[in-house]
Amino acid sequence: MKEIINLHTRHTTCQMGVTEDGFLLQLYYGARVRGKMDYLLTYHDRGFSGVPFCRGTDRTFSPDVLPQVYPCRGSGDFRTTALSVEDENGVSGCDLRYRACRRLPGKYSLEGLPAVYADPSEAETVEIDLADDRLGLRVTLRFGILYDLDVITRSVCLTNTSDRPLTLTRAASLCLDLPESDYDLIHLPGRYGFERVPERSPLTQGRILYESRRGHSGHAQNPFAILAGRHTTETAGCCYGLMFVYSGNFAIEAEKDPLAQTRLLMGIQPEAFAWTLMPGDAFETPEAVTAMTGDGLGALSHIFHDLVRGHICRGPWRDMPRPVLINNWEATYFDFNGKKILDIARQAADLGIEMMVLDDGWFGCRQSDMSSLGDWYVNEEKLGGSLKDLADQVHGLGMKFGLWIEPEMISEDSDLYRAHPDWAFKIPGKDPVRSRFQLALDFSREEIVDAVFEQIAAVIEGAGVDYVKIDANRSLSDIYTAAEGRQNAGAVSHRYILGVYRFLSKLLDRFPGLLMEGCCGGGGRFDAGMLYYTPQIWCSDNTDAVERLFIQYGTSFAYPVSAVGAHVSIVPSHQTGRVTPFNTRALTAMAGSFGYELDPACLSEEEKNEVRRQITCFKTLWPLIHRGIYDRLTAPSGDVAAWSFVSRDQSEALLCAVVRTVHFNVPVTLIHLRGLDPEADYKVEETGQLIGGDALMQGGWPLPMATEDYQAFSWHLVRV
């Protein structure tokens, strides 16, 4: 090799090599190593695999079978490639060669895009320049190395250095080539109301694709995946995690080639993407994150939890206890007035709830989901006064005041649509596809983002709003823009997401103390890109506690508990009709940013006292729950769902379990804790027992016999 490039973290190494003729090859990614790994490359004549012209008669060097860092279409690699570029004649063919490598202190950032951040002392950036002289294309691969976290981030900057336009038809953020294929692929599929439930399947020869074409990351798939050894468990085995810091269309592709090698790709979904680079223009891909561990799926989740919590989420609410809230949606839906909201707030304040959130229906002429989106002025007739009057009265109770908004959407029955019908996504001459009786605004246009922002900012400022829940209740279709020079739907989809990020940035700039919660029909845009702006996201519109066991379990593979919006709702559940114990609903919701979604007037005195106890318990345990180490102890698909939180100094732990199904005369279930101090004893506060940390991990904790389905248990352990 002409040059070896090492990216070292505390426990891992990613090593690349440059050949004499400028090909950049992936030599190794795994547990940390000292030496050169180019000996792993093997060169054979592979028959129908093409050979670069510069290699002459050497038929043993083929991009089609060699591991590459950023493979491009037209190079002789017939696998799925990371880059496809068309010249001004629509001809696709690229040949990237190495030019230079730079090491820079600190972590790079991306203009207009969310990205992992770190203090200069915590990170290093490596930039590698590749170029195609025929096209006049420069490709800069950026790697951000967070040493202590064992995280390597990736983004690509593509620059047109020619005097002709170039069109990117595919520009992935990450390609990872591995020499073996004895892996399972774990992803987080789902549907509206049942998001991110893990699925694990072995790699087979061919290509596996997980994607979203909905304009946002979506309920059906999530921009996160794990490549795990066939025998990898929660506590042992090799696994690689990939996270996309992006909220729009995405694709995750895994390919096992005929030589049993593995290729992983992550980036913007290419079928809905095309970006023209005029001379001198540059395009930056969204960021992808990789992490690797040999200690199992739990350890991999810990890495991503720490990354999201400390290096993606930002602002004052990143580390602060968030107020226990009550949201009126399931209590009233659209049927409320100012008096009803104030009644809920008064009763909630008496129970110790700290924030009143007014959900959909406070603006325009909104009495149902068929009108008024885009008319962000207060319906004072419905509220019986101004929003400031209501907010002041809520503040007078010692509570914070929050508001629901849906800035990206517009109703056809709205003043905004009547004034600006061209602001909505519609294709000329075609009737638009409706979803929830609404259309999407063209947020690729800055003037539309600015106009909506000014309306909403005036409401927030005028009423002294402390929190906003930012929703988006439809997928994108009929993507067309009236903006000059932006007719390409692929470009518009990406510009739309940039517009969403711009709107969120403007909100944070204007209101730096504002707590924001993301939402997209519940968990339809639960991704690291949104968490860069909103430190929590409404996990799902499904608030049924038993369903949430599955949803929150799957979410935890990638995202920390502090990012999960979770509420206690009424029974029978509005989504499933299921009746679950009050304690079960609370314990499940405590594995998130805790709150309530009900009318306190419907609670008995016993239940109200239980709410007071729950809030006191959650506030006491908040540092342990939101800052501690979370472990999945069992999967919810069995009879028992169990999880735990352990403080980082191992001084305390919280063990939680829900028995989904009661059986007669069952064996005792032993729950094995993790992460305790094996040399210390722990007091189980509920029973007074003193038990060794080693015993609780090796022998386990016996679960009591449940007396009803969905019964929940919890134990607080304190080191003595």
Side-chain angles (χ1 to χ4, degrees):
M1 285 290 163
K2 176 182 177 182
E3 187 173 343
I4 297 291
I5 302 169
N6 280 308
L7 310 180
H8 290 301
T9 70
R10 183 178 295 278
H11 298 111
T12 69
T13 296
C14 178
Q15 188 177 106
M16 295 163 279
V18 182
T19 68
E20 292 295 330
D21 36 16
F23 291 95
L24 181 65
L25 302 182
Q26 176 78 57
L27 302 181
Y28 174 82
Y29 183 32
R32 183 159 179 162
V33 294
R34 293 179 294 106
K36 295 169 60 176
M37 305 299 287
D38 55 344
Y39 75 92
L40 292 173
L41 296 177
T42 57
Y43 302 95
H44 303 284
D45 182 350
R46 294 296 183 179
F48 271 70
S49 293
V51 176
F53 186 84
C54 63
R55 286 280 168 157
T57 60
D58 179 6
R59 293 171 52 169
T60 67
F61 187 97
S62 175
D64 190 35
V65 297
L66 288 169
Q68 297 183 68
V69 177
Y70 203 67
C72 51
R73 184 179 177 189
S75 66
D77 189 342
F78 294 98
R79 296 168 289 183
T80 307
T81 54
L83 176 65
S84 180
V85 186
E86 294 181 356
D87 63 20
E88 74 276 18
N89 297 314
V91 176
S92 179
C94 190
D95 183 10
L96 294 177
R97 302 296 177 96
Y98 175 81
R99 291 294 182 267
C101 178
R102 296 175 295 280
R103 290 185 178 269
L104 307 169
K107 164 70 173 56
Y108 65 84
S109 60
L110 300 176
E111 184 176 356
L113 281 164
V116 169
Y117 64 90
D119 291 336
S121 61
E122 297 177 306
E124 176 188 20
T125 293
V126 172
E127 294 185 342
I128 300 174
D129 290 334
L130 309 174
D132 183 318
D133 292 336
R134 180 189 71 86
L135 288 174
L137 177 68
R138 184 174 70 245
V139 176
T140 300
L141 309 179
R142 294 175 178 146
F143 301 87
I145 305 165
L146 279 69
Y147 181 85
D148 288 330
L149 273 182
D150 288 322
V151 160
I152 299 174
T153 71
R154 304 188 187 199
S155 178
V156 182
C157 181
L158 302 111
T159 305
N160 184 355
T161 61
S162 76
D163 58 0
R164 302 158 297 163
L166 299 174
T167 300
L168 307 175
T169 57
R170 182 184 184 97
S173 299
L174 172 149
C175 176
L176 178 61
D177 277 2
L178 298 171
E180 298 172 302
S181 60
D182 193 22
Y183 295 112
D184 291 337
L185 195 61
I186 302 171
H187 68 127
L188 303 177
R191 59 185 182 271
Y192 170 65
F194 202 62
E195 300 90 341
R196 294 175 303 284
V197 179
E199 183 175 273
R200 180 171 182 164
S201 56
L203 287 183
T204 56
Q205 186 171 322
R207 184 167 64 112
I208 299 171
L209 171 64
Y210 305 128
E211 64 179 355
S212 174
R213 309 182 197 188
R214 297 173 173 271
H216 49 73
S217 48
H219 300 87
Q221 294 291 344
N222 190 265
F224 178 84
I226 298 171
L227 191 69
R230 291 281 164 84
H231 303 293
T232 296
T233 66
E234 283 281 353
T235 57
C238 171
C239 46
Y240 300 84
L242 295 84
M243 175 180 282
F244 200 27
V245 189
Y246 189 63
S247 308
N249 296 326
F250 73 90
I252 299 171
E253 298 176 70
E255 183 173 4
K256 177 181 175 180
D257 72 14
L259 300 181
Q261 301 174 120
T262 298
R263 170 167 288 177
L264 288 172
L265 291 158
M266 175 177 276
I268 295 174
Q269 206 282 340
E271 289 182 32
F273 173 78
W275 194 276
T276 299
L277 288 175
M278 299 305 291
D281 283 356
F283 177 81
E284 290 183 317
T285 71
E287 185 166 77
V289 178
T290 60
M292 180 272 166
T293 180
D295 296 326
L297 300 172
L300 187 69
S301 291
H302 298 161
I303 292 172
F304 282 102
H305 293 177
D306 288 345
L307 177 77
V308 171
R309 197 159 33 203
H311 298 274
I312 290 178
C313 293
R314 303 175 297 156
W317 290 105
R318 186 192 75 171
D319 302 315
M320 287 170 52
R322 294 166 205 159
V324 177
L325 65 83
I326 189 165
N327 184 298
N328 72 293
W329 180 243
E330 289 192 23
T332 67
Y333 296 101
F334 291 104
D335 185 18
F336 65 84
N337 54 31
K339 181 180 181 301
K340 177 61 177 177
I341 298 302
L342 195 56
D343 285 344
I344 292 174
R346 287 192 179 110
Q347 293 181 71
D350 182 60
L351 300 176
I353 294 172
E354 299 166 302
M355 182 162 68
M356 177 71 225
V357 177
L358 174 57
D359 209 281
D360 194 355
W362 57 267
F363 54 91
C365 300
R366 184 85 159 171
Q367 301 296 340
S368 71
D369 60 6
M370 297 184 70
S371 78
S372 301
L373 288 173
D375 295 343
W376 300 110
Y377 55 85
V378 179
N379 187 337
E380 296 190 355
E381 180 180 353
K382 183 173 184 177
L383 294 184
S386 71
L387 188 65
K388 186 178 188 309
D389 291 339
L390 179 59
D392 285 348
Q393 292 179 82
V394 171
H395 287 143
L397 298 171
M399 302 178 77
K400 294 183 181 296
F401 181 73
L403 204 59
W404 177 95
I405 59 174
E406 193 173 2
E408 301 161 55
M409 303 298 162
I410 186 170
S411 302
E412 291 169 274
D413 181 10
S414 68
D415 294 340
L416 183 64
Y417 185 80
R418 285 183 282 272
H420 299 285
D422 62 308
W423 283 16
F425 276 143
K426 291 188 306 178
I427 297 171
K430 176 184 179 296
D431 291 334
V433 175
R434 294 190 181 107
S435 181
R436 205 172 181 258
F437 308 107
Q438 62 195 54
L439 305 178
L441 286 167
D442 181 0
F443 259 41
S444 74
R445 295 167 58 183
E446 290 189 3
E447 68 272 23
I448 297 176
V449 173
D450 291 343
V452 174
F453 171 78
E454 290 302 332
Q455 282 193 71
I456 291 174
V459 173
I460 293 171
E461 200 162 50
V465 173
D466 304 292
Y467 155 107
V468 290
K469 180 179 179 182
I470 304 172
D471 211 341
N473 279 310
R474 66 157 293 166
S475 301
L476 302 186
S477 60
D478 301 296
I479 298 173
Y480 171 90
T481 183
E484 184 178 353
R486 293 192 192 170
Q487 307 308 317
N488 187 301
V492 175
S493 296
H494 180 59
R495 290 185 191 277
Y496 176 92
I497 290 297
L498 296 180
V500 173
Y501 292 151
R502 184 168 175 271
F503 176 88
L504 296 172
S505 293
K506 286 168 70 72
L507 267 184
L508 289 173
D509 290 344
R510 179 79 67 91
F511 308 104
L514 186 70
L515 173 58
M516 298 201 299
E517 179 168 15
C519 183
C520 183
R525 200 159 59 186
F526 201 117
D527 57 66
M530 288 301 294
L531 287 169
Y532 185 76
Y533 304 95
T534 69
Q536 63 192 53
I537 298 174
W538 184 228
C539 195
S540 177
D541 277 351
N542 188 345
T543 59
D544 176 273
V546 175
E547 300 276 275
R548 275 298 188 105
L549 293 175
F550 290 86
I551 296 166
Q552 292 173 200
Y553 169 83
T555 301
S556 75
F557 278 82
Y559 306 103
V561 161
S562 59
V564 172
H567 296 170
V568 179
S569 59
I570 204 72
V571 292
S573 164
H574 287 197
Q575 291 81 43
T576 66
R578 184 183 282 115
V579 176
T580 50
F582 207 169
N583 182 49
T584 302
R585 285 175 272 153
L587 194 66
T588 304
M590 283 185 191
S593 56
F594 189 55
Y596 293 84
E597 189 118 356
L598 47 76
D599 185 348
C602 298
L603 300 176
S604 67
E605 285 304 314
E606 181 182 357
E607 288 172 326
K608 289 179 179 179
N609 288 330
E610 180 66 10
V611 170
R612 295 184 180 98
R613 188 199 66 79
Q614 290 166 359
I615 293 171
T616 299
C617 177
F618 177 74
K619 293 178 72 172
T620 300
L621 294 174
W622 180 87
L624 173 60
I625 293 172
H626 276 223
R627 294 175 178 165
I629 296 171
Y630 170 91
D631 274 303
R632 301 173 293 271
L633 303 181
T634 69
S637 53
D639 286 340
V640 176
W643 63 95
S644 68
F645 304 93
V646 178
S647 62
R648 293 179 185 272
D649 63 1
Q650 300 177 304
S651 64
E652 62 175 332
L654 180 67
L655 171 61
C656 306
V658 175
V659 178
R660 291 181 55 237
T661 307
V662 173
H663 300 286
F664 174 69
N665 197 27
V666 294
V668 172
T669 299
L670 295 172
I671 306 296
H672 294 264
L673 282 88
R674 298 185 205 133
L676 301 177
D677 182 350
E679 304 297 324
D681 290 335
Y682 288 83
K683 180 181 179 181
V684 183
E685 294 206 319
E686 289 75 13
T687 67
Q689 294 168 274
L690 285 180
I691 307 175
D694 53 352
L696 289 164
M697 292 188 290
Q698 300 301 323
W701 174 257
L703 197 66
M705 293 291 183
T707 58
E708 61 178 332
D709 285 350
Y710 320 127
Q711 188 172 355
F713 303 91
S714 63
W715 298 270
H716 186 208
L717 286 63
V718 179
R719 185 172 59 193
V720 296

